[in-house]
């Protein structure tokens, strides 16, 4: 039986968002390989900082929405951490980017 109404709309939105995330992920991978072209070679501290800034600048210029930017930033952090474990990089990227507010308390003390 096919979904109709609200359920069909939710499923279509979910498929569309997954498609957008796949395209965004491939775009981020190109930005990371542009900033860090050879992960086997450990960069110097200065080169690492310049490449990270270049990656962030490219993300600023090409990614529009806040949730896509958060996804791109966190994907970059994960990639650098993977480089750290796989290739022995001594550097750590900045912490993850979180952009949601804490829920308001409904009750007071």
């Amino acid at each position: 039986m096919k979904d109709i109404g609200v359920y069909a709309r939710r499923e279509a939105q979910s498929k569309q968002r997954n498609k957008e995330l796949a395209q965004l992920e491939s775009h981020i991978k190109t930005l990371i390989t542009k900033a860090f072209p050879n992960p086997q070679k450990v960069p110097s501290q200065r080169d690492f900082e310049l490449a990270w800034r270049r990656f962030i600048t490219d993300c600023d210029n090409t990614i529009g929405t806040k949730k896509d930017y958060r996804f791109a930033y966190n994907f970059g952090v994960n990639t650098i951490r993977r480089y750290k474990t796989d290739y022995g990089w001594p550097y750590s990227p900045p912490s993850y980017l979180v952009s949601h507010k804490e829920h308001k308390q409904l009750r007071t003390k």
Side-chain angles (χ1 to χ4, degrees), residues 1 4 6 10 17 21-22 33-34 36 40 42 46-48 52 60 65-67 71 74 78 93 98 102-103 107:
M1 186 168 146
I4 58 172
V6 173
R10 283 185 190 155
R17 181 65 184 157
L21 286 177
T33 55
K34 180 181 168 188
F36 301 100
Q40 290 87 4
V42 178
R46 183 175 181 276
D47 291 340
F48 175 77
W52 183 255
D60 288 341
T65 63
K66 183 168 48 170
K67 66 181 177 178
F71 179 79
N74 292 341
N78 284 336
V98 180
E102 214 174 302
H103 296 292
R107 298 185 208 177

Side-chain angles (χ1 to χ4, degrees), residues 59-94:
C59 287
D60 288 341
N61 294 335
T62 59
I63 297 173
T65 63
K66 183 168 48 170
K67 66 181 177 178
D68 288 346
Y69 184 82
R70 182 181 63 231
F71 179 79
Y73 186 89
N74 292 341
F75 191 86
V77 169
N78 284 336
T79 303
I80 298 301
R81 288 192 177 177
R82 192 174 66 243
Y83 288 169
K84 184 177 180 175
T85 58
D86 292 348
Y87 304 116
W89 284 22
Y91 317 115
S92 293

Side-chain angles (χ1 to χ4, degrees), residues 4-51:
I4 58 172
V6 173
Y7 301 112
R9 184 173 58 237
R10 283 185 190 155
E11 187 173 334
Q13 288 172 344
S14 175
K15 285 181 183 178
Q16 179 65 25
R17 181 65 184 157
N18 290 339
K19 184 178 157 185
E20 290 172 0
L21 286 177
Q23 290 174 344
L24 183 61
E25 187 175 323
S26 67
H27 176 68
I28 297 164
K29 286 179 182 178
T30 58
L31 293 179
I32 288 175
T33 55
K34 180 181 168 188
F36 301 100
N38 189 7
Q40 290 87 4
K41 182 183 173 195
V42 178
S44 67
Q45 177 74 30
R46 183 175 181 276
D47 291 340
F48 175 77
E49 290 173 0
L50 289 173

